[in-house]
Amino acid sequence: MSTQAIGIFDSGVGGTSIWKEIHELLPNESTIYLADSLHAPYGQKKKERILELSIKNTELLIKKDCKLIVVACNTATTNAISYLRHNYNVPFIGIEPAIKPAALKTKTKAIGILATKGTLSSELFHNTSELFAENIEIHEQVGKGLVELIESGKKDSSEMTDLLKTYCLPILEKNIDYLVLGCTHYPYLIPQLKKILPKTVTIIDSGEAVARQTKAVLERHDLLNLLARSKKKEVRNISHLFYSNKEVNILQDIIGKQFKAEFLKF
Ligand code: DGL
């Protein structure tokens, strides 16, 4: 058993959508969240740069004594997770677009996927989608500019609505019944997307699956925080640290007032 924190990183504030799922499923675990907003978006960067940034985030979380690291970013997972797993001695959990559940459930045999250029062009994504592409049509759409708007606090803006319409309408014409959100920032756009998409289109993301996988891996490595189940407050001692290397207020707005976000240079 271990009282050490779960480390989570993303190119910015989007991975908090994963943090929320993890916290809901594992309320007895301490967490440390890194938002590398200074370098967001990762999605338009070269693989080497994404790898370099993922290494830097990982090393910081290891220095902070994290027992497991969640790469709460599809772009960083698809481009860097195999390197990280080979080179660091902590378990890693990654996130990939939920093509499989959509592919298994689609009735129209056509699904849409909205993700960053970095994810859609990665080898890992390519391999996963090829596994399913035989039976269904997968319509890819790069969400250029969406992460930037979320990172600047404009997730509910009319600029965002316009951009989402531009991206959704062409894939809607392909008769899709599932839209897979392949970027951890995008669950924050679900209210907007629901206004644009017809009811026949179901939106899915990978947040819950990542939380379940995190729990399973902690159990397997005997790393769950069993002390935190104690009724005594001084023994429980759970903490949640949120760091941003850019504008803290955007991260603060997204996590809510009950938690505190701090600036950290990294
Ligand atoms: N949240 C990241 C992801 O899941 C956003 C990528 C980016 O920074 O472009 O891919």
Side-chain angles (χ1 to χ4, degrees):
M1 94 104 216
S2 164
T3 57
Q4 289 162 260
I6 297 173
I8 302 167
F9 78 80
D10 179 35
S11 62
V13 300
T16 54
S17 64
I18 305 298
W19 176 86
K20 285 176 185 171
E21 300 282 358
I22 291 174
H23 180 55
E24 198 173 306
L25 189 68
L26 297 164
N28 292 324
E29 296 294 330
S30 290
T31 59
I32 302 178
Y33 182 90
L34 290 187
D36 188 16
S37 295
L38 186 65
H39 300 108
Y42 283 10
Q44 305 287 326
K45 293 185 174 22
K46 291 216 167 79
K47 184 182 165 78
E48 295 71 38
R49 181 67 178 140
I50 298 169
L51 186 59
E52 208 174 274
L53 293 167
S54 302
I55 289 172
K56 186 180 56 87
N57 298 333
T58 297
E59 292 191 348
L60 182 55
L61 289 170
I62 289 177
K63 227 164 139 188
K64 291 194 173 289
D65 209 22
C66 289
K67 59 184 173 187
L68 170 145
I69 294 177
V70 180
V71 182
C73 175
N74 291 262
T75 315
T77 298
T78 45
N79 287 281
I81 201 150
S82 56
Y83 178 92
L84 299 176
R85 285 192 171 126
H86 277 103
N87 289 280
Y88 297 94
N89 199 16
V90 282
F92 284 91
I93 307 292
I95 177 161
E96 276 187 79
I99 299 178
K100 187 177 174 185
L104 294 175
K105 287 179 190 157
T106 176
K107 294 208 165 58
T108 61
K109 300 288 170 216
I111 65 170
I113 159 137
L114 188 61
T116 68
K117 186 170 160 234
T119 294
L120 294 175
S121 59
S122 70
E123 206 184 315
L124 191 58
F125 173 77
H126 203 72
N127 293 343
T128 316
S129 66
E130 266 200 351
L131 280 179
F132 299 98
E134 234 175 65
N135 308 316
I136 60 159
E137 285 172 23
I138 301 177
H139 299 286
E140 299 173 11
Q141 175 65 54
V142 175
K144 190 160 188 266
L146 300 178
V147 167
E148 288 91 325
L149 283 177
I150 297 170
E151 287 292 324
S152 51
K154 293 185 187 155
K155 66 179 166 59
D156 303 313
S157 62
S158 57
E159 239 174 306
M160 180 65 90
T161 315
D162 292 347
L163 214 47
L164 287 175
K165 278 187 185 153
T166 313
Y167 295 154
C168 289
L169 297 181
I171 38 178
L172 279 177
E173 280 171 12
K174 310 284 184 191
N175 195 27
I176 62 161
D177 58 355
Y178 279 86
L179 177 65
V180 178
L181 302 184
C183 170
T184 55
H185 281 68
Y186 300 170
Y188 290 112
L189 304 178
I190 291 175
Q192 287 252 45
L193 282 167
K194 282 194 169 157
K195 287 185 199 151
I196 297 169
L197 301 172
K199 290 213 164 42
T200 49
V201 176
T202 306
I203 302 170
I204 51 172
D205 64 73
S206 321
E208 257 186 75
V210 171
R212 282 198 304 272
Q213 178 68 1
T214 304
K215 186 174 179 214
V217 172
L218 286 176
E219 277 168 352
R220 199 183 314 140
H221 290 261
D222 196 17
L223 286 173
L224 281 169
N225 184 1
L226 302 177
L227 263 193
R229 292 180 186 175
S230 162
K231 295 232 161 38
K232 288 188 202 147
K233 218 173 164 205
E234 63 280 12
V235 174
R236 294 186 63 219
N237 205 17
I238 301 164
S239 66
H240 299 292
L241 304 174
F242 292 89
Y243 296 114
S244 167
N245 53 7
K246 209 178 168 199
E247 286 167 53
V248 179
N249 57 331
I250 311 267
L251 178 59
Q252 185 70 65
D253 279 353
I254 274 206
I255 59 174
K257 284 200 184 81
Q258 65 275 41
F259 302 103
K260 193 175 171 329
E262 283 172 42
F263 177 79
L264 182 73
K265 205 166 171 234
F266 63 94

